[in-house]
Amino acid sequence: MGTCASCGTEYAPLPSRARYCSNACRQRAYRRRSAGTSTVVAELPGYDDAFVGRESELAELLSLLRKHRMLTLVGPAGVGKTRLAVELARRSRRTEVRTVELGRLSRPEQVVQAFAEAVGVYQRAGVALRTTVVHELNNRRVMLLVDNCEHLVEECCEVVDALLSRCPHVQILATSREALRSIGEAVYPLHGMKADAVKLFTERAGAGGDRDAIEVICARLDGLPLAVELAAKLSASVSPRDIADRLDDRLDLLNDAGEQTRHQSLRAAIAWSHDLLTGQEEELFRRLALLPGGFGLEIAGVVHGGPVIGPLTALQAKSLVVRENDGRFRMLESVRLYAEERLEEHGEREVTAERIIAWLCEKGEPGISSSILAPAQVQAQHQEYDNVAYAFARLVAPRDERRLMLATMLLRVCFDRGYFTEAGAVLMQVLHQSPADARYRILALEYASLLAVHEERHDEAVRHALEAVAAAEAGGQDLIMCRLHRTLAHAYDGAGDASNAAKALRRSIEYGARNGNDVSVAVSSHNLGWRLLVDGDTEGAADLVGGALPVLRVHARQDVVAVTIHTSGCIALEQGDLATAGARFAESARMTADTPRAALESIEGRGLVAMASGRHELGVRLLVACQQMRTTWVVPSEPWWRRKTAAALDLARESLSRAAFQRALAAGRSMDARHALETALDEEIAGVPLLSDRQRMVVELVARGLTNAQVAAKLGISHRTVESHVHNVKTTLDLSSRAQLAAWARSH
């Protein structure tokens, strides 16, 4: 028996009347729909403007639709879930698509009503409405686009599970700010647009405008389509450059008073998600606002003041925070600004800021209590760089001496990243404003010395380092004396005072050994080893570096290990052990492959090994490539190393023919960093060359068509010597004729 969809009467269904008991009921239902008394949505929402971008996402989603009956697009407010879902439904080419709009609903019992209205069924006395919906869809092939589920997730999930389990031809495409957790649900996280965001802005604005400003706008809005579209509408009266300059006030700036939806402004869109939070989730949400650089579980727990995994997981599920590939979390900037408003409303800004400042300074504390930072401690400072910069600029009071620590942490990271001018200026300003007994002054003086060395203010570098050493001695801070004397040695070295540099390094080793700072001792031993190598004491250098390297391999950061391995290669090169030197330089180059500036000396080392092995052209190419990169990047080499590479180039100029040398010069100048590194890591670089330089000259002239007599005259050697060279080369290369020899030369 069936049940009439119009009057609810039970009847025996026939193929000609599958849904209604009679033609009268069918006509009655038709009149209801035509008169507008039904809220059935028989078509997808229409839009006046064009769909822009998202082609890669659409391709992935169409593939998922072919594999799954339940697919949910999940993402933060304004990311464009509904528009993408509608476009996806259009492209899916389903014969019937019905839209179930949940955004305006407020009560759980309204969910099943929305499904019923969408598919065209009505409440019947004595029958649960959900049962009627399931019965109606039992044999229909239909896609239900269920939009805006986040505020009624549980109720929506119950209806969806019932449909999927009992209606084999129903497919669900849902949009929500959190997953429904339905049986068999495939979840597709949707993020902001990248390059397509600029295209979206331009299309909605109706004009190109200032592309640089538009790119800034889109980047600062995290590519959120809603925010980008609101900014594009605003550009009709405000220039893109002015919009970009005012995005700190985006929550007030980006609104559309003419749009009567919850997306009429960026603030309203975010508030929709915020209003669904529990008290604990809301508290964590607003307190995370002062961490624009992202956060891990530790700092999240600190600002929250209690267990954090539960509420943080809920915020992630509701798309108010996102989890990055490195495991850290962050808020989209627009969401963070909204959270910051809520923080101000609750009067919690000061206490939250204090917790963050104290925690960040704790991360810098090893710098004033230990002789060397562990790799994990350095990584932590890199991860929190943006938070430190924000805390320094916006959270810490002007006279708070913790500004010294924050400024030092900024400079510490900037040294590693290769840009330090701005951070250095900040540190020096804070240092001059701080009292002589400030807790973090010694650490700040140390980094002021390192900065002065970089900027070639050598007398100032020595003065800062000596002041740091004196202050540490007066305060009995023996644990950091190993490191401070190493910094002093670096300052002396920059000033050209080799004698005092060596003395400072020996003092550094003494302090480190006394305090059991094995890793710091190894670093200072390496530095002293390099000093001895430069001074000509190769054996003394080998002893120090050979003892330091095993310790550093186990305990030190990769960049420190790479430098030590390079020094070991230099020692092997001086000792004439080309195989070891080549292997050491190759290992160091691989370790620094992601940082081309740091790899320069290792590539040059491979070039020196190539030349010492007789492969002068290859050596010239590598040295010239690095020489050009040093000029471009303003990375000067140390005087001893510069003399070594210059001497090698002079030798190559004498050993090669003029044409071969010029060819090598041109090839080296055309290399970029990646090409130079790949060439340097050629496994045969330290091997015995296939042909000697003289044999290569002979082959080159033969390839030009010269006779043996002409080659002899050209090179100033005997005819018989040329014959011998030609015979030996053909034997080595397994060739039988001069034509084959010429062909080989052209290909090599």
Side-chain angles (χ1 to χ4, degrees):
M1 294 296 289
T3 303
C4 179
S6 179
C7 66
T9 303
E10 292 188 357
Y11 71 104
L14 297 174
S16 62
R17 51 179 190 175
R19 298 180 59 200
Y20 303 101
C21 66
S22 65
N23 285 333
C25 281
R26 181 181 293 108
Q27 291 297 322
R28 189 180 300 114
Y30 173 76
R31 286 194 297 272
R32 286 174 180 169
R33 291 195 296 270
S34 300
T37 57
S38 169
T39 56
V40 171
V41 181
E43 298 178 357
L44 289 168
Y47 296 94
D48 296 331
D49 47 29
F51 182 84
V52 177
R54 298 286 199 197
E55 292 301 325
S56 61
E57 289 96 331
L58 282 166
E60 293 177 21
L61 288 166
L62 284 168
S63 176
L64 287 173
L65 276 180
R66 289 190 286 268
K67 301 174 184 176
H68 301 278
R69 292 178 60 210
M70 173 63 189
L71 175 60
T72 305
L73 307 188
V74 174
V79 79
K81 300 182 291 296
T82 299
R83 189 67 189 271
L84 180 60
V86 170
E87 186 67 19
L88 178 61
R90 291 188 195 284
R91 298 192 188 190
S92 68
R93 298 183 178 178
R94 294 295 296 255
T95 56
E96 183 180 10
V97 180
R98 298 298 179 102
T99 301
V100 184
E101 172 55 58
L102 305 181
R104 293 183 175 86
L105 307 187
S106 58
R107 301 192 309 275
E109 63 270 18
Q110 292 176 310
V111 172
V112 70
Q113 294 174 13
F115 276 84
E117 291 174 356
V119 299
V121 298
Y122 305 91
Q123 181 76 56
R124 294 195 304 273
V127 181
L129 186 55
R130 192 169 79 183
T131 301
T132 304
V133 173
V134 170
H135 186 271
E136 167 67 22
L137 295 178
N138 186 42
N139 292 310
R140 281 170 66 179
R141 293 183 177 275
V142 60
M143 173 189 284
L144 299 180
L145 196 167
V146 189
D147 197 24
N148 301 309
C149 307
E150 55 271 354
H151 59 308
L152 296 165
V153 167
E154 293 184 9
E155 295 76 14
C156 188
C157 185
E158 289 177 3
V159 177
V160 167
D161 281 344
L163 292 174
L164 292 175
S165 63
R166 300 175 193 175
C167 306
H169 305 300
V170 169
Q171 187 172 34
I172 306 291
L173 173 60
T175 72
S176 179
R177 299 186 191 181
E178 63 178 301
L180 303 187
R181 300 175 185 84
S182 175
I183 297 172
E185 178 185 26
V187 177
Y188 189 91
L190 193 59
H191 306 290
M193 304 170 82
K194 295 182 180 177
D196 285 340
V198 174
K199 188 191 302 183
L200 177 64
F201 185 103
T202 303
E203 198 278 336
R204 297 295 187 260
D210 185 340
R211 185 175 178 85
D212 290 341
I214 293 172
E215 289 178 351
V216 169
I217 291 169
C218 293
R220 291 199 57 196
L221 294 176
D222 296 299
L224 284 179
L226 170 64
V228 171
E229 291 193 5
L230 291 172
K233 289 182 180 180
L234 185 63
S235 68
S237 53
V238 181
S239 74
R241 180 62 58 188
D242 287 336
I243 295 173
D245 291 341
R246 289 166 172 78
L247 284 181
D248 283 346
D249 300 318
R250 69 189 68 180
L251 297 178
D252 293 317
L253 187 68
L254 303 181
N255 64 80
D256 186 352
E259 186 73 20
Q260 299 301 314
T261 72
R262 61 193 173 90
H263 282 177
Q264 67 180 1
S265 72
L266 192 56
R267 176 182 282 109
I270 300 169
W272 173 265
S273 291
H274 174 265
D275 292 345
L276 300 176
L277 300 179
T278 66
Q280 191 178 44
E281 293 164 3
E282 185 181 343
E283 183 179 82
L284 175 61
F285 171 74
R286 61 178 180 263
R287 292 179 182 178
L288 293 173
L290 301 185
L291 294 169
F295 48 89
L297 290 175
E298 184 181 354
I299 182 58
V302 168
V303 299
H304 189 48
V308 75
I309 292 179
L312 183 58
T313 302
L315 293 180
Q316 183 188 2
K318 292 178 172 63
S319 301
L320 287 170
V321 301
V322 294
R323 192 170 188 268
E324 307 279 47
N325 293 333
D326 61 0
R328 285 167 63 83
F329 299 85
R330 76 178 182 95
M331 285 181 169
L332 298 181
E333 183 63 11
S334 299
V335 175
R336 191 191 69 78
L337 291 172
Y338 181 87
E340 192 170 2
E341 287 185 350
R342 306 288 76 74
L343 188 72
E344 295 281 4
E345 283 180 2
H346 285 78
E348 296 174 348
R349 183 182 180 87
E350 288 188 13
V351 66
T352 303
E354 178 57 33
R355 290 175 180 178
I356 291 172
I357 295 166
W359 185 83
L360 291 174
C361 288
E362 182 182 318
K363 291 300 170 185
E365 193 73 20
I368 63 170
S369 59
S370 62
S371 189
I372 195 167
L373 296 181
Q377 293 167 333
V378 175
Q379 182 186 17
Q381 292 195 20
H382 276 265
Q383 286 180 329
E384 302 301 334
Y385 176 83
D386 290 333
N387 289 330
V388 172
Y390 183 81
F392 181 86
R394 305 282 293 274
L395 303 183
V396 69
R399 297 190 179 278
D400 190 329
E401 69 178 45
R402 290 176 299 181
R403 285 169 58 84
L404 265 181
M405 171 59 86
L406 297 176
T408 304
M409 292 172 71
L410 292 176
L411 182 57
R412 166 74 186 77
V413 174
C414 288
F415 273 140
D416 287 348
R417 296 181 178 180
Y419 51 86
F420 47 80
T421 302
E422 184 177 345
V426 169
L427 175 67
M428 295 309 298
Q429 180 182 7
V430 177
L431 183 62
H432 292 320
Q433 294 172 348
S434 300
D437 60 348
R439 171 170 169 72
Y440 303 118
R441 186 172 178 81
I442 293 174
L443 184 63
L445 284 167
E446 179 183 8
Y447 276 89
S449 175
L450 294 172
L451 174 68
V453 172
H454 274 283
E455 296 179 344
E456 298 184 353
R457 294 179 283 109
H458 300 301
D459 291 343
E460 191 175 335
V462 172
R463 186 171 72 253
H464 287 316
L466 286 172
E467 184 180 349
V469 168
E473 286 177 342
Q477 295 179 255
D478 282 1
L479 291 178
I480 62 172
M481 293 299 287
C482 177
R483 191 185 78 225
L484 292 181
H485 275 91
R486 187 164 59 246
T487 301
L488 177 60
H490 187 50
Y492 278 131
D493 193 43
D497 190 343
S499 175
N500 274 324
K503 288 179 183 177
L505 285 171
R506 295 187 190 281
R507 288 284 287 161
S508 173
I509 294 170
E510 290 173 7
Y511 272 107
R514 183 189 310 163
N515 295 313
N517 298 328
D518 294 341
V519 181
S520 195
V521 166
V523 173
S524 295
S525 296
H526 160 265
N527 292 359
L528 182 57
W530 175 263
R531 170 53 48 202
L532 295 180
L533 177 65
V534 169
D535 290 341
D537 185 359
T538 306
E539 295 306 316
D543 288 342
L544 284 168
V545 176
L549 185 54
V551 177
L552 297 177
R553 281 189 187 277
V554 175
H555 298 291
R557 301 193 319 270
Q558 182 166 291
D559 59 325
V560 175
V561 178
V563 169
T564 309
I565 291 172
H566 175 271
T567 301
S568 179
C570 293
I571 293 169
L573 187 63
E574 288 296 283
Q575 293 173 331
D577 185 352
L578 299 186
T580 299
R584 290 283 191 266
F585 291 136
E587 183 182 3
S588 179
R590 290 188 184 97
M591 293 179 73
T592 54
D594 293 335
T595 313
R597 292 170 186 250
L600 281 176
E601 290 191 346
S602 297
I603 296 173
E604 289 168 333
R606 293 284 282 178
L608 293 176
V609 170
M611 287 188 175
S613 301
R615 302 186 66 179
H616 290 97
E617 284 193 49
L618 177 57
V620 170
R621 293 206 305 272
L622 292 176
L623 293 183
V624 169
C626 290
Q627 195 176 68
Q628 181 167 278
M629 284 184 276
R630 285 186 181 279
T631 301
T632 302
W633 296 337
V634 194
V635 182
S637 57
E638 296 196 36
W640 180 81
W641 188 245
R642 188 162 57 248
R643 290 194 296 272
K644 296 284 292 183
T645 56
L649 285 172
D650 289 341
L651 177 61
R653 189 178 287 104
E654 295 175 2
S655 302
L656 293 170
S657 67
R658 179 179 178 82
F661 187 75
Q662 291 300 321
R663 183 170 59 241
L665 282 178
R669 288 167 182 159
S670 68
M671 281 184 176
D672 59 17
R674 182 172 182 174
H675 186 193
L677 181 63
E678 290 173 350
T679 303
L681 293 178
D682 175 1
E683 293 181 2
E684 301 298 324
I685 200 166
V688 177
L690 196 61
L691 303 179
S692 70
D693 288 334
R694 179 52 61 87
Q695 287 174 330
R696 284 180 174 273
M697 293 179 194
V698 170
V699 170
E700 183 178 330
L701 295 174
V702 169
R704 293 180 185 175
L706 275 67
T707 65
N708 287 355
Q710 290 171 323
V711 172
K714 186 81 170 175
L715 298 179
I717 57 179
S718 70
H719 182 274
R720 180 167 296 184
T721 299
V722 173
E723 287 182 340
S724 177
H725 280 315
V726 171
H727 173 76
N728 291 337
V729 168
K730 287 194 293 185
T731 301
T732 299
L733 301 178
D734 194 23
L735 304 175
S736 58
S737 68
R738 291 173 74 90
Q740 290 178 332
L741 186 62
W744 182 91
R746 285 192 293 272
S747 65
H748 288 76

